[in-house]
Structure formats: C-alpha cells, structure tokens
Amino acid sequence: MAIPANAAVSLNFPVINMEKLETGERGAAMEVIHDACKNWGFFELLNHGISHKLMDEVERVSKAHYAACREDKFKEFAARTLEAGEKGADVKDVDWESTFFVRHLPASNLADLPDLDHHYRQVMKEFASEIEKLAEKVLDLLCENLGLEQGYLKRAFAGSRGPTFGTKVSSYPPCPRPDMVDGLRAHTDAGGVILLFQDDQVSGLQLLKDGAWVDVPPMRHAIVVNIGDQLEVITNGRYKSVMHRVLTRPDGNRMSIASFYNPGADAIIFPAPALVGAADAAERNEGEEGTAVYPRFVFEDYMNLYVRYKFEAKEPRFKAMKADAAPIATA
C-alpha cells in the first residue's frame, strides 16, 4: 500500500477481502461491509475476482493514452488556469483533471470515441464486463445485509431498458499550485454504486467523515466502492452517500478509472417498502411509525437537477425532488 508519509489515513478504513465471503469468516466480512455503508459510504475490495493481469493492462494503456493523446491539451488548460489564478481570478470552480467518459449500457459508445486504438477498446470492453459483474455482486451483498430479497436493487435500477453503466477515465497531473485548485471539487455521486480502480502510487482521493477529510488509501489491485445518492434513497437513509474530493499534488499523475452502475433514465426511485415498514422497527424508537424520509422520483429528473448543483450539498436536491414531485404511474 503506497501512502505518503504525511497522509492522515484512518487505520480503520474498511477493507474487505472477498475471499472471506466463501469461508467461515463470511459473517464478519459482511458486517464490515454493512458498517462501511452506514458510517463511511466507502470501502475497498481485495481479491474481488478481476484478474491482476487485466488491471495492469488497463492501467498501462490508460496512462499511455493520456501521454500520447491528452497531455499536450491538458498542459494548455493548465497554463491558462495558473495564469488566471496568478492574476487574482478565482479558479476554485475549476477541476484539475483530464477526463473522458465511456458509456457501456444501455448502448456502448466505445466504437465512437476518437483517439482510442483497437487494443485499448478491447481492454476497456473486457474490464467493463468484469466491473459490471462485480457491481451486481456488490448490490446483492447489500441486499443480503439489508434483508432485501436477492436482486431487489438490480431490479430497482432497471427502468424499461436496464441500468445505465459507464466509466470515467481521468488523470490528475501534477499541479505546481495545489493551494490554488482542487483536482476534483467535493461532491456526492448522483447514481447507484460506484467502483473505482485508482492509482496505487499517487494518492489524492479523500472522503468527509465526522467533519474531517480522510484519505482513501491507495492499494494495489483494489477496487474502491462508494455509495451514490440513489442507494441512499432506496435504503431510506440506512446507507449514505458521502462528500468526497480529489486533491492536487505537486508531483505524480494520479490515474482514476471510475465505473458508475446507475439506474436507468426512466427508473422510478423510492425507498424500499421493506425498509420503511415493520422491517425497520429495530432502528426506530418505541411507538414511532415507519416513514419514507426520501421522495419518489424518476432518476432522469434527479440527474437534470444534479448537473446544476453537483458541487453543493445533497439534502437540498432531495427536498427539491420532493417539492416538485408529481404523481408517478407505477403500472
């Protein structure tokens, strides 16, 4: 695990060895996942089934692609941003990242993206297939912990065409003025479950826990999982999305490959009835009625709001969806 000497990493950061799920230690591993979803919003998976050889090749071709196709363009952006900042302009609303997005579901755009050679496309297609399977396995682990029937979360995401699923490929190059600009501003993720393959040599990802920023430790061949806003709604707040950010660093180019397994655009999102009624009695005070504390809405409507207020607190977004809610047909 490569962690800078001055990093304030919590020694209790939740890490799950998925091999333990097939042993007598399954119960303890499941409890770590449950606690992580409730109290951290993040956890890391080891021995998750994606081959190290494939992950190494994804890293190699992604870093090579940045160097060959994106680095010069980023240097132009960096020069303009630093010049503006030095002249007194506020550049805090700028993210110090080079990024592109690959859509996998409901229809892939991989063949349409420029500057990707055939090998890169094939590697990303194989990696996406493995990440999709892992995302669905994680969702079923969450169902088990929540007492939901297997497949409930996958079905809740389905809509009429199945889930939306895509990958954001990012580089966070070195920044000579890390005090001036963040790599990525603080936000929660709008969607369902996010699986991240991050650089194990260059840190920078942090989450907000109990009012303090905590490093997400880089670990070789790990997959970082975090909870999105939609899972918070469906679990009626049992599991929480949390604010996170990426810091800039004066050295090192951090690789980030984040895959988003999200509801379909027309999926109707609402708290699972089993987590609103009698099933939540253990977490209520005596005599308190179970209530849905989140509104019912169409995922695309939430996304239309999110794109305008991504870097603000999530609670006003939930309130706005409740205030704007119109009756939604469920038939």
Side-chain angles (χ1 to χ4, degrees):
M1 182 167 64
I3 304 173
N6 61 348
V9 176
S10 168
L11 298 179
N12 297 318
F13 192 92
V15 179
I16 296 93
N17 178 353
M18 293 190 73
E19 289 182 341
K20 292 185 176 181
L21 296 172
E22 308 302 325
T23 72
E25 298 181 71
R26 178 183 178 85
M30 291 294 288
E31 182 57 36
V32 173
I33 295 173
H34 186 56
D35 180 75
C37 293
K38 288 176 60 178
N39 298 311
W40 290 80
F42 274 74
F43 54 93
E44 292 197 61
L45 297 176
L46 300 175
N47 297 315
H48 39 66
I50 302 176
S51 80
H52 292 178
K53 181 179 179 181
L54 175 59
M55 296 180 78
D56 289 344
E57 187 63 5
V58 170
E59 180 176 2
R60 186 190 71 80
V61 296
S62 296
K63 290 183 175 181
H65 176 262
Y66 171 79
C69 302
R70 305 188 67 86
E71 186 170 22
D72 287 344
K73 185 175 181 180
F74 181 83
K75 287 180 177 178
E76 294 175 4
F77 156 81
R80 292 194 306 270
T81 301
L82 292 172
E83 182 181 8
E86 295 288 356
K87 291 180 178 179
D90 183 2
V91 293
K92 284 297 184 182
D93 61 348
V94 174
D95 297 314
W96 189 270
E97 65 173 357
S98 171
T99 186
F100 66 94
F101 192 82
V102 183
R103 186 179 67 248
H104 309 301
L105 296 174
S108 174
N109 70 341
L110 191 57
D112 302 325
L113 295 175
D115 301 326
L116 303 186
D117 62 29
H118 176 73
H119 179 65
Y120 195 2
R121 294 180 204 275
Q122 291 302 112
V123 169
M124 290 301 293
K125 182 178 180 180
E126 182 180 356
F127 183 67
S129 176
E130 293 298 310
I131 285 286
E132 181 184 357
K133 288 186 287 187
L134 181 58
E136 292 177 351
K137 183 171 185 177
V138 167
L139 288 179
D140 273 343
L141 292 173
L142 302 191
C143 284
E144 183 177 340
N145 270 336
L146 291 162
L148 299 172
E149 63 183 42
Q150 290 295 290
Y152 180 91
L153 290 172
K154 182 179 178 180
R155 292 192 297 274
F157 283 15
S160 63
R161 300 181 62 196
T164 53
F165 175 51
T167 297
K168 179 185 176 186
V169 180
S170 303
S171 294
Y172 297 94
C175 177
R177 289 292 306 274
D179 59 306
M180 183 183 293
V181 59
D182 285 333
L184 180 60
R185 288 163 284 167
H187 63 288
T188 64
D189 287 325
V193 63
I194 299 85
L195 287 80
L196 168 67
F197 174 27
Q198 68 167 343
D199 203 302
D200 68 300
Q201 297 297 317
V202 185
S203 63
L205 178 61
Q206 295 186 325
L207 64 90
L208 189 63
K209 177 171 170 55
D210 302 327
W213 288 105
V214 177
D215 290 335
V216 177
M219 300 181 70
R220 186 69 175 162
H221 297 133
I223 294 292
V224 178
V225 178
N226 72 282
I227 301 299
D229 293 348
Q230 306 313 300
L231 276 180
E232 179 169 334
V233 173
I234 294 171
T235 66
N236 204 31
R238 278 169 176 68
Y239 293 168
K240 303 285 189 181
S241 62
V242 300
M243 296 289 281
H244 53 283
R245 68 183 183 183
V246 177
L247 298 180
T248 47
R249 292 170 50 95
D251 54 3
N253 186 348
R254 177 177 177 270
M255 178 199 73
S256 168
I257 301 176
S259 296
F260 300 81
Y261 190 100
N262 291 345
D266 64 352
I268 301 170
I269 304 301
F270 55 92
L275 302 181
V276 175
D280 68 354
E283 299 192 18
R284 298 199 310 268
N285 295 323
E286 184 176 355
E288 181 183 357
E289 294 295 326
T291 58
V293 296
Y294 295 84
R296 185 184 189 97
F297 53 82
V298 175
F299 178 59
E300 186 174 33
D301 293 340
Y302 186 87
M303 286 302 300
N304 290 336
L305 183 68
Y306 178 84
V307 295
R308 301 201 304 272
Y309 302 106
K310 174 178 179 177
F311 299 108
E312 299 181 18
K314 62 187 174 183
E315 289 80 9
R317 297 196 295 264
F318 293 143
K319 290 181 180 179
M321 296 308 299
K322 185 174 184 179
D324 294 342
I328 297 173
T330 57

